[in-house]
Amino acid sequence: MSISISVDSAAGQAVKAADRAHVFHSWSAQALIDPLAVAGAEGSYFWDYEGNRFLDFSSQLVNTNIGHQHPKVVAAIQEQAAKLCTFAPAFAIDVRSEAARLVAERTPGDLDKIFFTNGGAEANENAIRMARLHTGRQKVMSTYRSYHGATANAIALTGDPRRWANETGVSGIVHFWGPYAYRSNFHAENEAQECERALAHLEDTIAFEGPQTVAAIILETVVGTAGILVPPAGYLAGVREICDRYGIVFILDEVMAGFGRTGEWFAADHWGVTPDLLTFAKGVNSGYVPLGGVAISGAIADTFAERPFPGGLTYSGHPLACASAVATINAMAEEGIVENARKLGEDVIGPGLRELATRHPVIGEVRGLGVFWALELVRDRTTREPLTPYNAAGAANAPMAELAAACKKRGLWPFVNMNRLHVVPPCNSSEAEVKEGLAILDEVLTLADAHTV
């Protein structure tokens, strides 16, 4: 890709100064951050005001599935703005109806009704509300290794450390251990054992919580931020069976894994499992305009046929967001973007990362699907001691901070979380772009190898 990048240091400094004076950043100690001033982006790249270009191996927050500034989506937003910028959710709007149809056409099973939200956290909040009202129960179960959003119930459901400072005593949230064969909580010797024992643990937890009190189980189909954990064969089907047996609503959170990220429209398609509710956001329109939603089964939709659903958002199904979703889904279909993600995973990323593992002792495990991969970095392959401790900060996190800085210095923007390096480029990346990123990773992993025994 040929991108013309100009240098304008003064403009960059002005942007940075205004940011530092007035913008309050999420998940950050405000005085300790130094945000990059971004001048532009296109495709798989973005650049700063100094002319430095970065290959976006993070897809921002794993959401720009069709890359930056896709012309078809930009044009659709412009056309919709000229036609109808906004309208309340109570009205039938052509682009809202079409977005819902296109999503429902791709969701598994009978998930044919779509409730639109502004993002993933709100999608999970509303899915939980639906499950509780549908069942008349209160408890919701989720795994420790998970992230479901930063709103009240979503953060309570989250398993990672961002939950700790945000817990407000929200009742009815129960955590359990999901499968993770590399660091098994069940002393499993293989994936089949991990699946069997994880399902037994889940069923034991339900028994001690009281099945009649559990409204829903929510799982990320493939766990995202907490490790890109691909479930073993049979696990999701086993959870589906347990939910059916106890009358529990099964919610799959596809906010990060959906819309091509795993090489299928939805990750659930890999295992042929249909949940009762499926939440989505991010890749539905690559984040060009805030949008999320809940895909709803017939049985749960029927609960609210003559009973009002007590939830709503001013911007639910916002026309600009829906227009961007329609254009994104159509572009993904027309350009074979889902198929491209699958091919990149099978032919380039997976083999490339496994080849890196043969040369870099710091790589303990390679795992993933499509354009959704993680390198688990360790000090010792035998003991599997993580390169940095759980939730490390400051000096304890130095090896991972060094790795991230080295990537950026070489023009690669990485996604780093705890002791893991996630490889999550846009779904429409080219083979050459991915190989460019893998070559940089090969260089910087040598630095991390120095921390191994």
Side-chain angles (χ1 to χ4, degrees), residues 145-147 160 220 223-229 367 417 420 422:
R145 297 183 183 96
S146 66
Y147 182 73
D160 82 18
E220 292 172 276
V223 174
T225 306
I228 307 188
L229 306 178
R367 54 180 181 262
N417 191 34
R420 298 179 305 274
H422 294 191

Side-chain angles (χ1 to χ4, degrees), residues 338-362:
V338 176
E339 294 79 6
N340 185 67
R342 184 187 311 130
K343 182 175 174 58
L344 284 175
E346 293 174 352
D347 298 345
V348 185
I349 302 176
L353 294 179
R354 286 188 283 269
E355 200 273 331
L356 290 182
T358 66
R359 294 201 305 280
H360 296 284
V362 74

Side-chain angles (χ1 to χ4, degrees), residues 124 128 140-143 148 157 216-220 251 253:
N124 287 328
I128 293 162
V140 181
M141 300 178 63
S142 64
T143 63
H148 295 290
L157 287 165
I217 295 171
I218 183 169
L219 298 175
E220 292 172 276
I251 305 171
D253 177 341

Side-chain angles (χ1 to χ4, degrees), residues 330-392:
N330 286 335
M332 291 181 79
E334 292 162 5
E335 298 171 19
I337 290 175
V338 176
E339 294 79 6
N340 185 67
R342 184 187 311 130
K343 182 175 174 58
L344 284 175
E346 293 174 352
D347 298 345
V348 185
I349 302 176
L353 294 179
R354 286 188 283 269
E355 200 273 331
L356 290 182
T358 66
R359 294 201 305 280
H360 296 284
V362 74
I363 300 175
E365 185 178 49
V366 174
R367 54 180 181 262
L369 292 165
V371 285
F372 205 32
W373 291 80
L375 295 177
E376 177 106 20
L377 304 184
V378 297
R379 289 185 179 273
D380 187 328
R381 280 183 172 174
T382 302
T383 65
R384 301 185 179 180
E385 177 190 353
L387 182 61
T388 55
Y390 185 75
N391 201 36

